[in-house]
Amino acid sequence: MRELIELDVKGHRLWGTYHAPAPARRGAVGFLFLNPGHVPRSGHGGLSARAADGLAAQGFPCFRVDLPGLGDSDGTLPDTTAELYQFVCGGGFVEVAQAVREELVKRHGLKGLVVGGLCGAATTSLYLADRNPEGIAGVFMFEPEFYLSEQEAAATGGEEAKPEAEPATWRSRLPLRRVTSKLFSYWGWMRMLTRENEYARLFRYVPFPRQLVLDLLMDWGSLPAVANVPLVRAWQRLVERGLPVLVITAEGKLRDIYFDRIHRSAFSDLKLPMVERLRLRGTNHIFTTGGAIDACVGHLARWAAEHFREERAGVAVPQPHVAELHGVAR
């Protein structure tokens, strides 16, 4: 059952949808879906709505909430999409998202929330789990973006990223490799080799050593100049805490390959059993082709049952083995 909800937090009146499970199946851990970029809370192709319906059927209380200025919620947004993107990259929605989490947990008597979503929702959720970990049971990230906007990257001139301002939380013990790569040589080639710019079509019919060039370009041991270093640091701390995390990307696309580079720079060859990494073949960034939405919803439901099912009836359920990062491609 879906129910319209209203939240007054931080001077904002926000609107959302509550997916209520059957009372007999209701669990103590819920799921919170945030806006993917500037898209309303239903998500591209109804991804968030369909995922929440599926999880509610398993007994998980689910919430989709429009942040200020997005969807049905009032608020002021920047004049351009690029400015909004940078606002999200810098964690601009985290304070409001934290207030939403607190209100939902209190209102529905939950032990905690699993937070996440697509693209910008993954960014906000990662920052939230790092800066305000209390009450965060897990994080799910679909097509996460660990890079700055192309506009800001261009402003750096390809030079090293600025040191990030550390939030009031413990710093990761793991070093980050040096920042390298000039913007044009890296970013332009990446977009072409992942077939996400206008030049990519030139190589559909012309023999081209795509994988060889990509391997040479990636420089797996270092971060590129376009890296969102504060977000990478947050990723290190989150993973070191051992929080359950699900990462799903479109195989072979920009964010899929970029995430691999970020992760290898942040963790080298460490084995991370609480991180599950899945790749969806034959789809796009918003999962609207190749049956990816159904696959994504199914993987999320299975992951939720594996990690949070015991919270439903108060009976411990043995945790099954979770695939190591880079170990699964479905």
Side-chain angles (χ1 to χ4, degrees):
M1 184 179 68
R2 297 184 185 183
E3 174 187 333
L4 184 67
I5 59 174
E6 180 182 352
L7 302 122
D8 291 304
V9 298
K10 297 291 181 179
H12 301 282
R13 176 160 295 178
L14 308 181
W15 293 94
T17 303
Y18 171 40
H19 297 246
R25 295 176 58 85
R26 186 181 183 277
V29 171
F31 279 72
L32 172 61
F33 294 78
L34 300 175
N35 298 90
H38 49 70
V39 178
R41 62 184 183 273
S42 57
H44 294 282
L47 172 59
S48 299
R50 291 170 62 181
D53 277 343
L55 290 168
Q58 292 180 261
F60 297 105
C62 292
F63 309 89
R64 295 181 288 113
V65 177
D66 281 330
L67 295 171
L70 303 176
D72 294 322
S73 297
D74 293 333
T76 302
L77 293 176
D79 293 332
T80 67
T81 302
E83 290 175 300
L84 174 62
Y85 187 93
Q86 279 311 112
F87 181 75
V88 174
C89 280
F93 280 129
V94 173
E95 185 177 0
V96 173
Q98 166 62 7
V100 168
R101 186 206 64 78
E102 290 179 347
E103 176 61 24
L104 290 175
V105 167
K106 178 181 178 181
R107 184 182 296 186
H108 294 272
L110 299 172
K111 290 180 63 175
L113 285 173
V114 183
V115 296
L118 177 76
C119 193
T123 298
T124 299
S125 298
L126 176 51
Y127 275 134
L128 174 60
D130 174 54
R131 298 177 186 178
N132 305 97
E134 183 179 359
I136 301 294
V139 176
F140 57 100
M141 303 194 298
F142 305 151
E143 283 281 278
E145 296 184 347
F146 282 85
Y147 50 79
L148 304 168
S149 71
E150 295 181 56
Q151 291 86 348
E152 181 165 329
T156 71
E159 299 302 323
E160 293 191 356
K162 297 177 181 179
E164 77 275 20
E166 286 290 321
T169 180
W170 59 278
R171 187 179 182 86
S172 170
R173 299 183 297 275
L174 296 173
L176 283 179
R177 307 289 180 87
R178 62 189 178 86
V179 180
T180 64
S181 301
K182 292 296 181 179
L183 172 66
F184 177 78
S185 62
Y186 179 79
W187 200 246
W189 277 104
M190 274 288 288
R191 282 208 170 275
M192 184 175 72
L193 293 170
T194 55
R195 300 186 176 95
E196 295 191 30
N197 72 4
E198 65 272 22
Y199 301 109
R201 65 179 181 273
L202 298 176
F203 296 100
R204 292 178 183 174
Y205 311 105
V206 178
F208 186 73
R210 175 178 174 270
Q211 191 59 51
L212 175 62
V213 176
L214 190 58
D215 288 342
L216 292 173
L217 178 67
M218 288 305 286
D219 186 14
W220 295 104
S222 61
L223 292 176
V226 294
N228 185 345
V229 178
L231 191 63
V232 177
R233 284 291 192 191
W235 174 239
Q236 283 185 310
R237 290 187 290 263
L238 182 70
V239 172
E240 285 184 87
R241 287 191 180 107
L243 201 69
V245 181
L246 175 66
V247 180
I248 302 180
T249 55
E251 185 178 41
K253 298 299 184 180
L254 179 65
R255 293 155 188 86
D256 175 58
I257 294 172
Y258 194 88
F259 176 81
D260 285 349
R261 179 172 179 182
I262 289 295
H263 181 82
R264 294 188 195 186
S265 297
F267 292 101
S268 186
D269 294 324
L270 293 179
K271 297 192 181 299
L272 308 168
M274 295 306 287
V275 177
E276 181 170 355
R277 168 82 154 95
L278 301 174
R279 297 177 174 89
L280 303 182
R281 296 190 178 107
T283 192
N284 53 29
H285 169 52
I286 56 177
F287 296 164
T288 52
T289 57
I293 287 181
D294 288 338
C296 183
V297 170
H299 286 308
L300 178 62
R302 185 260 313 155
W303 176 79
E306 289 175 355
H307 286 277
F308 310 107
R309 181 170 49 197
E310 72 276 13
E311 299 292 351
R312 193 158 58 224
V315 178
V317 173
Q319 297 289 349
H321 174 72
V322 180
E324 294 175 3
L325 197 71
H326 308 300
V328 178
R330 301 176 186 171

